[in-house]
Amino acid sequence: METIFFFKNMVPSEEEKLREYFLTKVPKIEKMLSHFSPDSVTLQVKGEKFQKHSAYDVELTMKSPLGTLTAQEASHMITKAVDLAKDRLMLQLKKNLTQGRRSHRSLKARSKMEMKISLPV
């Protein structure tokens, strides 16, 4: 999985903190994407600091064979924003993976049913 970082209105120390903290969370995401090739998944991490409210906004955008998933969270702490956005992305990913499996199963079940119906008695 390729990870790309974008920052807006953040000082270098905050950028480094976001980068390091997020990279500790990446193995859990990669574990869910183990059946995809590493080249087929791109994850964009966008971090923004709001000066007026002293808050951080983290947006995660994942492009994979399943489609594009987006999760965005805002908080006064970088780590909390990263955790919440990652959790949201993981929920979407789980949902898409299970939907794909269900539709695949239903196709198999349908084909078996059609075979039973079409066999002469």
Side-chain angles (χ1 to χ4, degrees), residues 37-97:
S37 69
D39 299 344
S40 66
V41 180
T42 303
L43 181 63
Q44 294 179 354
V45 181
K46 298 175 186 173
E48 181 177 359
K49 182 177 181 181
F50 300 115
Q51 300 292 337
K52 187 174 181 180
H53 303 289
S54 69
Y56 298 94
D57 183 51
V58 175
E59 182 180 350
L60 305 176
T61 305
M62 177 184 290
K63 295 180 182 177
S64 69
L66 294 174
T68 302
L69 305 175
T70 303
Q72 184 175 7
E73 283 294 330
S75 179
H76 291 284
M77 296 173 30
I78 290 178
T79 55
K80 188 174 179 181
V82 169
D83 286 338
L84 293 172
K86 181 202 61 101
D87 290 343
R88 232 174 238 245
L89 186 71
M90 296 282 280
L91 286 174
Q92 290 179 29
L93 190 56
K94 283 181 187 177
K95 184 177 178 180
N96 283 355
L97 287 172

Side-chain angles (χ1 to χ4, degrees), residues 10-47:
M10 297 177 89
V11 295
S13 62
E14 292 169 332
E15 292 176 6
E16 190 61 31
K17 184 176 180 179
L18 175 65
R19 183 179 282 120
E20 286 178 7
Y21 188 72
F22 185 77
L23 289 177
T24 62
K25 304 296 179 178
V26 168
K28 289 184 180 182
I29 298 171
E30 286 179 337
K31 186 176 179 181
M32 291 188 70
L33 299 169
S34 60
H35 58 280
F36 293 121
S37 69
D39 299 344
S40 66
V41 180
T42 303
L43 181 63
Q44 294 179 354
V45 181
K46 298 175 186 173

